[in-house]
C-alpha cells in the first residue's frame, strides 16, 4: 500500500491528543512517533541550530537523513531554543494546550529553564510529562549521560549475549532505546487513561532506560536471589530447552529452530529420524533437553545439512514444527507474509519520492493508525504551529528568530 504523505481522515484512535516531543535521538522521539502513528498531533520541538542529532545519524541520500524520515514521520517540526527565555515561554504556551510532553534532558535541566513539572502543572494540570533518561530522576547515577548502549551493558543483556568463549555482545541497533520507547508509549497511555477516568490530573512518568530491558530478561533476578545462579552466555542455544539453535542447510542458508513446546520438540526429533530419544526420561522437559543439547543439535543439524533450505522449511511446515530462515532486510522485503501484512509500506516523501519503511506497529480494526507524512525539515511547521495554535503573527516570528528563540 502506498501512502500519499498527505492527511488521512480519521487519523486514528489518538486523534485530538496533542504531544510535545522535546526529546532527542531515539527513545523519547520513537515513543512520540508511535503516538503520532495512531493519530496524536505531535509537535517536534528542536533547537534552531543543532536540531535533533538523529537527523544526521546513519545513512543519508541527497543530504536527507534516512533514519529521520522514519523517526520524524507524522510530526510537525518546529524550532525553539528552550534555554532562551522567549523560547521557554513558547514551550509554556504550547504546554498549556497539550496532553503529553516527552523530554530526555539530564535531570535538573528543565528546572533550570523554568520548565519544571510543577510549574508546567500549574499551567496545565492535565499534562502528562514523560521524562526518559538513562538512569532516572534520582539515585547516584542520575546525572550521568546515559544511552541505550549503557543500558544494554548494565541491564545484564550483553552479559548473556554472544558465544560462550567470546566477549559480551552488544546489539548492532538501538535495542534498549527501542524497548524503552515502547515502554514509554505504554506509560503515557496508562497515565492518560488514569487522567481521563480517575480524577483529571496528569502526572510525571519517570522512565530509566536501564530498566525495561531488565524486565525482558525474565527470571534472572529470581534465579540469582533464590538459587545464587548467574546465567552464562550460550550462543544461540537456550538454557530452557533444546534443540534451539541455528543450523546451516546444504545450500548454505541458515535456519533457526525453536522447540519451546514439548510437542514441537517431539515432532522435530521424529522428523529428523530420531524418535528413540523421545522416550528418554530427560527428554520430557525443556531443562533436561537443554542438558543434552550437543546430542540434539547433532541430530537436527546433521539432518538439515543434508537438505536445501526450501526443502527443510517445507518438511518442517508439513510436520507442524517451528522453523524460520535467517533473514536480512532484503529477505524481509520479499517475504510474502510481510507483504500480506504490509509491514514494509510505501510513503511519498517530498524530498526523495517513494520511500519504503516500517508500517505502524499493530493493526486496529476500527481506528487504524497511518503514516501521514515523513520526517520534515527543521522548523517546517513553525508558521502553522506558532501562528495557528498560538496566534503569533509573522512579525512576532521574525522577532523571535532575531532573538535566537526559534
Amino acid at each position: 500500500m502506498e501512502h500519499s504523505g498527505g492527511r488521512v481522515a480519521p487519523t486514528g484512535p489518538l486523534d485530538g491528543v496533542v504531544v510535545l516531543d522535546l526529546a532527542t535521538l531515539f527513545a523519547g522521539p520513537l515513543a512520540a512517533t508511535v503516538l503520532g502513528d495512531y493519530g496524536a498531533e505531535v509537535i517536534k520541538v528542536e533547537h534552531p541550530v543543532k536540531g535533533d542529532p538523529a537527523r544526521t545519524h546513519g545513512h543519508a541520500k541527497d543530504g536527507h537523513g534516512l533514519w529521520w524520515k522514519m523517526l520524524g514521520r507524522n510530526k510537525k517540526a518546529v524550532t525553539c531554543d528552550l534555554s532562551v527565555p522567549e523560547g521557554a515561554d513558547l514551550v509554556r504556551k504550547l504546554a498549556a494546550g497539550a496532553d503529553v510532553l516527552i523530554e530526555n534532558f539530564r535531570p535538573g535541566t528543565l528546572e533550570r529553564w523554568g520548565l519544571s513539572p510543577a510549574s508546567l502543572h500549574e499551567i496545565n494540570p492535565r499534562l502528562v510529562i514523560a521524562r526518559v533518561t538513562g538512569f532516572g530522576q534520582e539515585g547516584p547515577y542520575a546525572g550521568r549521560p546515559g544511552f541505550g548502549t549503557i543500558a544494554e551493558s548494565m541491564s545484564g543483556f550483553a552479559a548473556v549475549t554472544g558465544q560462550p568463549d567470546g566477549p559480551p555482545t552488544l546489539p548492532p541497533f538501538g535495542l534498549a532505546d527501542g524497548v524503552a520507547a515502547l515502554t514509554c508509549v505504554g506509560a503515557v497511555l496508562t497515565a492518560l487513561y488514569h487522567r481521563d477516568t480517575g480524577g483529571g490530573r496528569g502526572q510525571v512518568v519517570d522512565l530509566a532506560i536501564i530498566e525495561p530491558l531488565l524486565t525482558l530478561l525474565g527470571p534472572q533476578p529470581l534465579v540469582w536471589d533464590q538459587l545464587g545462579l548467574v546465567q552464562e552466555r550460550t550462543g544461540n542455544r537456550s538454557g530452557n530447552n533444546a534443540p534451539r539453535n541455528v543450523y546451516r542447510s546444504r545450500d548454505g542458508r541458515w535456519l533457526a529452530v525453536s522447540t519451546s513446546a514439548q510437542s514441537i520438540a517431539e515432532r522435530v526429533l521424529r522428523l529428523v529420524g530420531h524418535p528413540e530419544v523421545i522416550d528418554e526420561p530427560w527428554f520430557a522437559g525443556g531443562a533436561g533437553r537443554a542438558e543434552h543439547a550437543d546430542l540434539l543439535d547433532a541430530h537436527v543439524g546433521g539432518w538439515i545439512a543434508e537438505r536445501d533450505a526450501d526443502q527443510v522449511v517445507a518438511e518442517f511446515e508439513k510436520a507442524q514444527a517451528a522453523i524460520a530462515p535467517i533473514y536480512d532486510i532484503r529477505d524481509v522485503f520479499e517475504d510474502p507474509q510481510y507483504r500480506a501484512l504490509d509491514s514494509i509500506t510505501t510513503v511519498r516523501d517530498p524530498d526523495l519520492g517513494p520511500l519504503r519503511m516500517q508500517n505502524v506497529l499493530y493493526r486496529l480494526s476500527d481506528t487504524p493508525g497511518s503514516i501521514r507524512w515523513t520526517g520534515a525539515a527543521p522548523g517546517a511547521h513553525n508558521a502553522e504551529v506558532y501562528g495557528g495554535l498560538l496566534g503569533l503573527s509573522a512579525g512576532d516570528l521574525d522577532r523571535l528568530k532575531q532573538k535566537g528563540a526559534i
Side-chain angles (χ1 to χ4, degrees), residues 15 30 261 340:
D15 191 18
L30 181 56

Side-chain angles (χ1 to χ4, degrees), residues 198-216:
R201 283 194 61 84
Q203 57 186 299
V204 176
V205 174
D206 179 5
L207 177 60
I209 298 176
I210 59 172
E211 291 184 304
L213 263 186
L214 186 60
T215 295
L216 291 193

Side-chain angles (χ1 to χ4, degrees), residues 16-365:
V17 174
V18 177
V19 178
L20 300 184
D21 175 9
L22 274 58
T24 56
L25 293 175
F26 308 117
L30 181 56
T33 300
V34 175
L35 295 172
D37 285 351
Y38 291 94
E41 181 178 8
V42 179
I43 299 172
K44 175 67 181 180
V45 180
E46 299 176 83
H47 190 278
V49 178
K50 301 174 184 177
D52 189 326
R55 290 182 177 274
T56 58
H57 267 60
H59 296 284
K61 181 180 179 182
D62 299 337
H64 301 285
L66 297 179
W67 200 339
W68 175 255
K69 290 297 184 181
M70 177 265 184
L71 191 66
R73 71 191 193 190
N74 293 335
K75 298 181 182 182
K76 296 180 178 178
V78 304
T79 53
C80 180
D81 186 344
L82 278 67
S83 67
V84 175
E86 292 84 357
D89 191 52
L90 283 175
V91 169
R92 289 189 197 95
K93 292 176 180 177
L94 290 173
D99 297 280
V100 179
L101 183 149
I102 301 175
E103 64 97 4
N104 70 336
F105 301 104
R106 290 198 205 182
T109 303
L110 279 188
E111 287 81 356
R112 189 169 68 249
W113 293 334
L115 297 169
S116 69
S119 66
L120 292 174
H121 278 150
E122 287 181 5
I123 300 169
N124 179 1
R126 293 175 56 81
L127 184 66
V128 172
I129 302 171
R131 314 193 77 174
V132 184
T133 57
F135 302 100
Q137 296 297 310
E138 299 179 353
Y141 302 161
R144 292 182 181 180
F147 300 100
T149 298
I150 306 304
E152 289 146 8
S153 302
M154 290 184 62
S155 64
F157 171 83
V160 300
T161 305
Q163 295 300 322
D165 56 352
T169 303
L170 295 167
F173 64 98
L175 175 64
D177 281 314
V179 173
L182 300 187
T183 304
C184 184
V185 171
V188 164
L189 296 180
T190 301
L192 287 175
Y193 178 83
H194 179 265
R195 182 196 72 177
D196 294 343
T197 63
R201 283 194 61 84
Q203 57 186 299
V204 176
V205 174
D206 179 5
L207 177 60
I209 298 176
I210 59 172
E211 291 184 304
L213 263 186
L214 186 60
T215 295
L216 291 193
L217 291 176
Q220 282 194 45
L222 286 161
V223 172
W224 165 249
D225 176 60
Q226 296 297 306
L227 303 176
L229 299 177
V230 176
Q231 183 173 329
E232 304 292 339
R233 288 188 292 282
T234 57
N236 292 312
R237 287 179 172 177
S238 169
N240 301 316
N241 63 79
R244 193 267 199 179
N245 213 327
V246 295
Y247 309 93
R248 198 167 193 173
S249 63
R250 182 171 59 190
D251 54 348
R253 297 174 62 189
W254 289 99
L255 302 113
V257 172
S258 175
T259 59
S260 296
Q262 182 68 23
S263 59
I264 299 294
E266 294 174 6
R267 291 172 194 167
V268 169
L269 269 297
R270 289 193 184 98
L271 173 63
V272 301
H274 289 279
E276 73 282 356
V277 300
I278 297 173
D279 297 326
E280 295 287 348
W282 52 261
F283 195 89
R289 288 188 273 115
E291 292 176 356
H292 293 78
D294 287 342
L295 173 66
L296 298 176
D297 276 347
H299 289 334
V300 176
W303 186 88
I304 290 175
E306 295 173 351
R307 293 160 176 81
D308 289 345
D310 289 344
Q311 180 187 356
V312 172
V313 172
E315 292 293 331
F316 265 71
E317 186 171 346
K318 188 187 303 181
Q320 298 185 43
I323 194 169
I326 303 295
Y327 279 177
D328 61 24
I329 193 60
R330 295 168 295 185
D331 301 311
V332 171
F333 268 58
E334 298 301 321
D335 183 84
Q337 182 62 34
Y338 280 123
R339 285 186 172 183
L341 296 175
D342 197 28
S343 303
I344 301 293
T345 196
T346 302
V347 189
R348 288 218 159 259
D349 177 74
D351 300 312
L352 299 175
L355 296 180
R356 288 189 286 179
M357 65 174 67
Q358 304 95 319
N359 207 340
V360 298
L361 272 175
Y362 45 85
R363 287 161 291 280
L364 297 177
S365 59

